[in-house]
Structures are given as C-alpha cells and as structure tokens.
Amino acid sequence: MSYFVDMYKNYVNFSGRATRKQFWCAYGIYLAIYVVLYILAIVTGGVAITATGADFSGASAIGMLFMGLCCIFSLGSLIPILAMEVRRLRDAGFQWWVLLICYVASCCGIGAIALLILLCMPTKEPENTNM
C-alpha cells in the first residue's frame, strides 16, 4: 500500500527511478480499485455491458455515481501512472520517449505488448548519473 501512496506523493516527479516492485505493487492496487469501482457500477445498474460496448440507457443514480467515481479515479491517476511508467522505464535503462512510441503504437495493438515487456525488464545500473 505504501507504493500506491508514494505514486500519488510523487505524481509529477518524472525524474528518478522506480523498481519493478514499486511499479507493479502500485499499479496492481490501482487496477484492483478500478475493477472494484467498475464492477460496482455494473452491479448497481450504472452501465450495461453489451456486445457493442457500454450502454448507459436506463442507468440508476447509484450506478452512475459509481461510474462517475470510476472516471474520476482513472483521470486523477493518469499523470501519477505516467510518471511512474517513465521512472520504471528509466530504471530498466530506457528513455522517456519509448513510452510515447509505445502509446502511439498501441493503436495497432503491438505497443501495449511492447510496453508490458519493457515494464517487466530488470533494473539496469546507470552508466552515468546524469540520466
């Protein structure tokens, strides 16, 4: 839990490094909270999952509240997660722009897989301290 709190304390800190344990513990807690909020939104009638996507017609007020909390949580976590990903990539020996390339390549699906692989890479000792 401390890694998750640290992610928000360093929400605009794009410098430094983040170990695999720091990143995956914080990201795992983020995903767990997001999934719980989304499931609560589905169960309480905030959104109906269909074959064509999400359907908000006939949504209940409490369901829409959970859906709103889900959206606020994900938007509020966007910059802290990006900062953590940049620090994690730096720890694995890559530059910040690799993240940008992976997000652009995610349009065809290959970028998400490449980013997942890069985020799982082990820590590399820096050749110099001016990274």
Side-chain angles (χ1 to χ4, degrees), residues 2-12 23 26-27 30 77 80-81 83-84 87:
S2 66
Y3 296 129
F4 182 71
V5 173
D6 289 342
M7 179 176 78
Y8 287 98
K9 285 182 181 176
N10 295 318
Y11 73 100
V12 291
F23 177 79
Y27 196 71
Y30 163 77
S77 300
I81 287 175
M84 183 75 102
R87 292 193 309 266

Side-chain angles (χ1 to χ4, degrees), residues 17-24 85 87-94 98 102 113-125:
R17 300 167 69 133
T19 64
R20 278 191 289 191
K21 183 177 181 180
Q22 289 172 329
F23 177 79
W24 288 110
E85 286 176 342
R87 292 193 309 266
R88 175 67 206 122
L89 287 174
R90 184 172 294 118
D91 187 58
F94 301 101
V98 174
C102 288
I113 296 168
L115 181 60
L116 179 66
I117 292 169
L118 293 176
L119 291 172
C120 290
M121 299 293 283
T123 298
K124 290 188 180 172
E125 295 301 320

